[in-house]
Amino acid sequence: MKEHTQKFNLLVIAVLTGFAFVIGGLFKTLLELYLLSSESFILTFIAIWFGFLVQAAIGMAVLAFLLRRHYPFRKLWLAGTGAFALGILFPALLMNQFFIALLILPGLLVGMFFRMLLNERSKRDSLLFMITLGFLICQIMVSVFQNDIPGAIWLREHFGPSSVTVVMHMVIDVVIGFFVALGVGLVLRERIKNQMQA
């Protein structure tokens, strides 16, 4: 029984969660593209914040469902979605299109709020570290996309300028979801390990 409880394939869960974040992120990306020409601060803020909220709600629902045998679904979903809602709020108010200018800031805030809302007694540094690392990698990838790499040039020439933005966002979304799942999975493994030792 203990062995069964301890085993879950974290890599598979992380990949599936990454794709769930991509699906949720499509709404965010389309909303941002639709409002790209808008000069309204409130509309831009809504596109960024609400888009991330929808993405997190979908992505965290999949992650919580995959880990439902090991952790309460509602608690994990609420903690994850709430962390994104709170962590994205300040950067979205602070700057326009913040994910391009400073993606590491919302990553750090989301990690901190997630760690706080999950409220586990076990060591939670891995959760903060993994989420921040995921956003940091995304920040590096944004810089790469902006340097007109051959793939971005090919996409722009064959599918239009918006295609580069869509693909870039999809890659960013899958990375964020992947590292969120890794962080949660590592916390959960430590939690299970501590329960078995108690």
Side-chain angles (χ1 to χ4, degrees):
M1 180 68 179
K2 287 183 178 180
E3 288 183 5
H4 175 73
T5 303
Q6 229 177 353
K7 290 181 180 178
F8 59 89
N9 193 324
L10 183 54
L11 183 60
V12 171
I13 289 173
V15 170
L16 291 174
T17 303
F19 283 113
F21 268 76
V22 170
I23 293 170
L26 286 175
F27 170 80
K28 171 176 62 69
T29 301
L30 293 174
L31 187 60
E32 289 173 8
L33 287 174
Y34 178 72
L35 297 173
L36 193 61
S37 59
S38 173
E39 295 182 0
S40 170
F41 171 78
I42 190 66
L43 288 178
T44 303
F45 165 73
I46 290 172
I48 293 172
W49 183 78
F50 185 67
F52 263 105
L53 182 61
V54 172
Q55 177 188 35
I58 294 172
M60 288 306 306
V62 171
L63 177 60
F65 177 79
L66 293 172
L67 292 174
R68 68 193 182 282
R69 294 183 179 179
H70 310 279
Y71 204 86
F73 175 92
R74 188 164 181 254
K75 182 178 180 181
L76 183 55
W77 182 79
L78 286 174
T81 305
F84 271 87
L86 294 171
I88 299 299
L89 183 63
F90 175 69
L93 286 170
L94 183 65
M95 61 185 78
N96 186 12
Q97 302 297 322
F98 73 90
F99 54 89
I100 292 176
L102 193 62
L103 196 56
I104 188 64
L105 176 60
L108 182 62
L109 292 174
V110 168
M112 289 172 60
F113 281 117
F114 204 165
R115 186 175 66 170
M116 181 183 70
L117 292 172
L118 207 55
N119 195 27
E120 285 293 323
R121 292 181 180 178
S122 61
K123 188 178 179 183
R124 294 161 294 177
D125 291 346
S126 56
L127 182 60
L128 176 60
F129 174 75
M130 283 296 173
I131 293 175
T132 306
L133 178 61
F135 275 83
L136 177 60
I137 291 172
C138 292
Q139 182 66 71
I140 294 170
M141 288 190 303
V142 167
S143 301
V144 172
F145 271 98
Q146 286 180 331
N147 286 332
D148 284 335
I149 58 173
I153 295 172
W154 184 88
L155 279 172
R156 192 178 294 111
E157 289 177 350
H158 290 81
F159 298 98
S162 297
S163 62
V164 178
T165 302
V166 172
V167 171
M168 180 181 72
H169 283 207
M170 289 177 69
V171 173
I172 287 172
D173 294 339
V174 76
V175 170
I176 290 174
F178 184 86
F179 277 90
V180 167
L182 280 184
V184 172
L186 291 175
V187 169
L188 186 53
R189 282 184 173 177
E190 184 179 352
R191 179 176 181 261
I192 293 172
K193 181 180 177 181
N194 291 340
Q195 286 178 345
M196 293 186 67
Q197 289 176 348

